[in-house]
Amino acid sequence: MDFSGFVDTLGVFRTAIWQTLFMAVVSLVASGVIGLVLGTALYATRPGNLFGNRFVFGLIGFVVNLVRPIPFIIFLAAITPLQIAAVGTTIGTTAVTFAISLAAAFAVARIVEQSLVNVDPGVVEAARAVGASRLSILVGVVIPEGLGPLILGYTFIFIGIVDMTAQAGLVGGGGLGDYAITYGKQRYDYGIIYVAVAAIVVIVQVGQVVGNRLARSVMRR
């Protein structure tokens, strides 16, 4: 295998790694916050739950189910007007980060809801029995109890986000996907493609290890 092309583009490769890390980390934080709010709202408004409201629960669930199944590359094209309004462009790392954050938020919402639903109902009932308010139960009991599964869920989302950053290379989003397409595929340089794949695998593995350790430490408390 010839890696001379990789050596010649080492500077571009370094920039691509930083762009991928920027897109992945910023998108994880932004989608994590938005998804946590949506997912917590889904959990709390479930009929019979702390803030049970069938209409609100159905409305949020409809929106989440509407967006979540859309393939990212199509979602990216569909939100073009929103990208222009929000960040002023549809090309580049910032524009793609905005799109990934939105797309991932709806997946995070379902993961948050599922993690909170699995919290032992006895813990909630015990908090109710001592007179805790519904909001304090939600924030102070339910979310901390579901923190371990939440971290594992966010780790899963991180891997999906890295996958999205690679797809973003198709529309000039920068990062390792863009590097692999521009300098690897279009030049028939498979050495560059394999190096880009290896870098993505390393990023995913590191994210998985960090997520597993965080979840393990939280669940052992």
Side-chain angles (χ1 to χ4, degrees):
M1 182 63 66
D2 181 13
F3 289 98
S4 59
F6 165 67
V7 174
D8 293 338
T9 59
L10 193 55
V12 181
F13 174 70
R14 288 176 182 150
T15 301
I17 286 183
W18 283 115
Q19 288 174 333
T20 294
L21 291 174
F22 172 82
M23 287 188 281
V25 173
V26 173
S27 298
L28 180 65
V29 173
S31 65
V33 173
I34 299 170
L36 181 63
V37 172
L38 288 174
T40 303
L42 276 171
Y43 166 80
T45 58
R46 291 172 76 91
N49 215 335
L50 293 169
F51 295 89
N53 186 311
R54 194 177 297 277
F55 173 76
V56 175
F57 174 74
L59 180 63
I60 299 174
F62 172 76
V63 173
V64 169
N65 289 340
L66 184 69
V67 177
R68 200 163 59 104
I70 301 175
F72 176 65
I73 203 69
I74 297 175
F75 179 84
L76 200 53
I79 67 162
T80 295
L82 188 57
Q83 276 181 307
I84 294 174
V87 297
T89 179
T90 60
I91 300 175
T93 303
T94 302
V96 169
T97 302
F98 174 77
I100 294 174
S101 300
L102 277 184
F106 295 97
V108 172
R110 279 299 181 204
I111 287 176
V112 170
E113 181 199 15
Q114 290 166 10
S115 298
L116 299 185
V117 164
N118 289 325
V119 171
D120 183 2
V123 178
V124 177
E125 291 305 318
R128 273 178 162 162
V130 298
S133 68
R134 293 181 296 175
L135 185 59
S136 64
I137 293 174
L138 184 62
V139 176
V141 176
V142 176
I143 293 178
E145 284 292 323
L147 195 54
L150 277 176
I151 292 174
L152 290 176
Y154 276 85
T155 303
F156 177 78
I157 287 296
F158 174 75
I159 296 168
I161 286 175
V162 172
D163 178 58
M164 290 183 194
T165 66
Q167 294 181 54
L170 292 170
V171 292
L176 289 166
D178 195 13
Y179 174 71
I181 293 169
T182 304
Y183 294 90
K185 182 174 175 56
Q186 292 180 358
R187 296 181 180 181
Y188 300 99
D189 191 327
Y190 290 95
I192 285 180
I193 294 175
Y194 294 147
V195 168
V197 169
I200 289 173
V201 170
V202 170
I203 291 172
V204 167
Q205 292 296 326
V206 170
Q208 186 71 59
V209 169
V210 172
N212 288 346
R213 289 186 176 180
L214 279 175
R216 194 179 306 124
S217 65
V218 167
M219 286 189 250
R220 282 178 177 172
R221 287 183 309 177

